Amino acid sequence: IILQWGNSLFTFSSAGVLSNTVTFPIAFTAQVYAVLPSLVSNTPNSFNSSYGSLSLSSFVFYCSSNGATGTLDNTWFAVGR
């Protein structure tokens, strides 16, 4: 089992969806069991996070805003082997 974590910055100036490609510090060799994107915000119900395009070496971290602005330092956690 390999456990990995990190962060991804998003800066919003208006409503919309932003994405960052995150490269795992160590590529998984066989399978990614889960990626857990975590939203860190002082403004509840203003931002959402998700992920897509998952591979053994990376994933795309998405963050959306309903109009709130600012910079978010979101974290993620991944489990695999």
Side-chain angles (χ1 to χ4, degrees):
I1 297 291
I2 300 172
L3 306 176
Q4 301 192 60
W5 58 90
N7 68 313
S8 190
L9 290 174
F10 293 93
T11 301
F12 286 94
S13 58
S14 63
V17 178
L18 299 177
S19 65
N20 288 334
T21 299
V22 174
T23 301
F24 295 122
I26 300 170
F28 292 101
T29 57
Q31 185 175 1
V32 180
Y33 296 125
V35 173
L36 306 167
S38 176
L39 187 61
V40 180
S41 170
N42 291 329
T43 313
N45 304 316
S46 297
F47 300 97
N48 291 303
S49 64
S50 63
Y51 75 92
S53 301
L54 180 62
S55 73
L56 294 175
S57 60
S58 67
F59 70 96
V60 177
F61 195 145
Y62 296 99
C63 189
S64 63
S65 168
N66 67 2
T69 61
T71 298
L72 302 177
D73 187 8
N74 294 328
T75 59
W76 56 269
F77 183 80
V79 181
R81 63 181 176 103

